[in-house]
Amino acid sequence: MKKAIRILDSFFAVFLIVIYSFVIYGDVMLPNEITVIDYSDNIINELYTVSSSTDQSVDLQKAQIVGTEEADLKFLNIIPVKNEIVKHSEPKKVFVSGQSFGIKLYTDGVIVVGTKDIIVDGKKINPSKQAGIQVGDVIVLINNKKVYSSDDVENILNDNNGNDYKVTVKRGTKLKTFTVSPVYVAEEGCYKAGMWVRDSTAGIGTVTFYNPSNQSIATLGHPITDVDTGEIMPILNGEAVNTKVTSVNKSSENETGSLCCDFLSTTIGTLTENSNRGVYGKYADNIDLSSCPEYEIAPVQEVKKGFAQIICTVDENGPKVYSAEILKVLYNDKEKNMIIKITDEELLNKTGGIVQGMSGTPIIQNGKLVGAITHVIVNDPTKGYGIMAENMLNVAE
């Protein structure tokens, strides 16, 4: 009898561990917020469902529900897992691109990308660093005069007789003002403040989608950062232009390849926002979207591990569909929401996997736009990270 009780106790303990494991998995791995479009009580999957806080099934047939409501995520529709935010939405469609494009970006202010010691009478002096200016600061004012370019900074600093400068910078979300005392370099016949600055950048990416509801363009899925500081570059204005792919430098283990493109004269849009979730703006009035297929945006909970497709441009023939696989879904990560693997042999032969310039490549699954490729995994370029399309749409709108 005692042996039977021990067996039952062991079985019950294992049962509780299994149940607890599913609860922990649901709490950590499943999304904290879902968008409901297709009306069903079985919102997440066969094991996890969402019910209202009053223990009634969420009545998703009520099309008049707008906004959000709180609901309970349950395991086997019985065991509470966590509180869920449920948003109701009508299906949203966008024109999916996959076309490579050129980026021309000008900053709102001037980024400090380095400081440099100056030799005066055999001594090293760094006026900017001594004043408190740091790499990554964005200079917005000098002596209360707005600066827009590195030329502005150079001209103001050169037009000096050794007087101090009041330099106002943006550091994070705060403005700070420092007093910089430039030093005279006799060999060069000018005053110097001991800092390097940058006001623009250029690059190549992939257009994810065009949103006809507000004429917005969504690209990259990640921010443009300064190559020296790693800081997100604040946009004053930017331009997206058509490109022609001329060649591909293939990726290999521990070495990221790249698309090689010629910038064309045709503007496809203006760029106005550089965020953690991509670069956004407005597409040009004369742009032809007839070649872009229209796809519905998948709610985050619909993105699953398994077969997927990507649309990208790696030669002069324009966007083409290639096979891929979503290996992992990270619903609650802020930007890196999935890991994707390129499985298409044709694409692997051309690129070796994911290369620079493919950021923004649309990811399609089950006939819907689910995300965009954002980063390559350097030690295995056949794999990379992606961001949810719904997260990009939220920024674009």
Side-chain angles (χ1 to χ4, degrees), residues 13 23 58 74 119 152 166 197 216 266 279 304 314 350 380:
V23 171
V58 178
K74 295 182 178 180
I119 307 299
D152 289 342
K166 296 293 184 181
V197 296
S216 61
T266 310
V279 178
K304 309 294 183 184
V314 294
K350 286 184 176 181
D380 183 0

Side-chain angles (χ1 to χ4, degrees), residues 16 53 139 180 185 194 212 228 236 239 250 255 317 347 360 373:
L16 289 179
S53 301
I139 300 174
V180 178
V185 181
D228 293 302
L236 174 64
E239 186 180 12
K250 293 178 65 172
E255 186 171 343
N317 296 319
L347 184 59
I373 292 175

Side-chain angles (χ1 to χ4, degrees), residues 376-390:
V376 62
I377 296 176
V378 178
N379 61 0
D380 183 0
T382 65
K383 299 177 183 177
Y385 290 100
I387 185 173
M388 297 287 187
E390 187 177 36

